[in-house]
Structure formats: structure tokens, C-alpha cells
Amino acid sequence: MAGAALGTPDVDADGPWGVLVDTAELPDGGQLHLRRHEQDYEILFGDEQLMGSWAVRSEEALATLALRGLGPAPRVLIGGLGMGFTLAAARAVLPREARITVAELVPEVVAWATGPLRHIHGESLADPRVSLVVGDVHDVILQQEARFDAILLDVDNGPEGLIHLANERLYCDWGLRAARAALRPGGVLAVWSAFADADFTGRLRAAGFAVDVATVDPDGHGEAPPHTIWLATR
């Protein structure tokens, strides 16, 4: 998931909260809400905004920054389907021989991709390079050793378990070591966040990664707080 504090579109004939399109129950309790504002959509966790279709630059940057300079037939794991902007950016920069696995925990989010958000996702899930796993990306990581050239994580609002408490195991010391083990030498773990976190940078380094931290203006206008992307190389 992506994007806290992105505001709402300027024009909203449906009222301040838009039109509720669908809800999804989460494993730890709580709900995701898919709402429409005229031509735009947003996903919320309760009242916490996770993603808006009008501010996607940081989700795209998660892919474009992490996937530069990979080999001719890279294997990529994306944790979190969301509205598909990271997947679309990955498809645009990866070669024909690439293989992309997308792990999405919430089945309704997958259903939205072929339903009310079909015009946003386009044909991404039909790309022959793409395979979809409905399940926890942590489980996919544990099942693969030295398999991936890049792992891209956008499953929460940052390196914490806000939406799904079990997400915390992705970002703890042993979870980061598991991610490192799932990468090939030179592989990249990229993590999206709505906020900076110096402690997480330290945990990445303690797990054996070389770490770069990028900040991205999510809407391109400087009106929203910058988002953070960690690029951790094995």
C-alpha cells in the first residue's frame, strides 16, 4: 500500500468522503475501503489514507529506482499489488525475459484490479511475465533462497505493521536477513514508506545490506510530505 496524507482531489461532487465502492476485511481486523472521487480512487485503512490514484510518483519510483542495472533475465518479487502503479512501472523497465511475482495478501484488492480499478491496472496482470500469488509476501520470501534479483515491498505505510500486524516480521532483524537470503548476490531490497525512519536504515545495515535512501515528492507539486524509499543491496 502507499501514500499517507495525500489529500483528496480538488473536485469531488460526491462529498468529502466520496462514494464507497467496496470494503475488504483484513486478517488482523479492520477494513480497507475503496472510495471513488469523480474519476479518482483512493484506498483507506479505516480513516487512514493509504493510496490515491492522483499521486503515484513514489510508487512508480519504487520500481524505477530499484530495477536499474539488473541482468538480462531478472527475477523480481513485488510485495503489495495496491493500484498496480509499481507493477506497471516494473513492466515498463524490465526486459521480455524478466519474471515478476506479485504477492497480495487481500483477495479483494486482486478483485478490484479486474473490477472497479480495471482502467487503472490495464493489462498488467495479463502480462506473461507476471505471476500473482494471493498470500503473504513474507511466506514467498521464506520459500525462496537466492532466487530474486530484486524484492520491492509496499505492503504497509512504512516499515511497521499498521495494516497487518504480521508485516512487522518483514522489517525486524530476522525478517531482513530472510529477505537478504532470498536475493541473489548484488540483488536489491527496496522498501516504500510514507515517512523517514533512521532506525530502519540501521537495521538494514546491521542485516548486511549496503543502503541508499531516496526521497520522492509523491504528487510532483511539493504539496504533500515526501515519501521514502530504501534501496538495500546485498
Side-chain angles (χ1 to χ4, degrees), residues 2-3 6-9 34-44 49-57 59-60 82-85 116-117 119-121 218-219:
L6 296 178
T8 55
L34 176 64
R35 289 187 173 272
R36 176 177 57 81
H37 300 265
E38 293 288 321
Q39 76 277 11
D40 287 299
Y41 289 79
E42 65 177 342
I43 297 174
L44 301 99
Q49 186 188 73
L50 302 176
M51 174 178 290
S53 64
W54 56 90
V56 303
R57 294 178 74 249
E59 292 93 327
E60 295 172 340
M83 291 186 177
F85 295 112
L117 301 182
H119 65 293
I120 295 176
H121 284 267
D219 62 8

Side-chain angles (χ1 to χ4, degrees), residues 2 7 47 81 102 105 162 166 178 191 194:
D47 294 334
L81 176 61
V102 180
L105 179 68
L162 172 67
V191 179

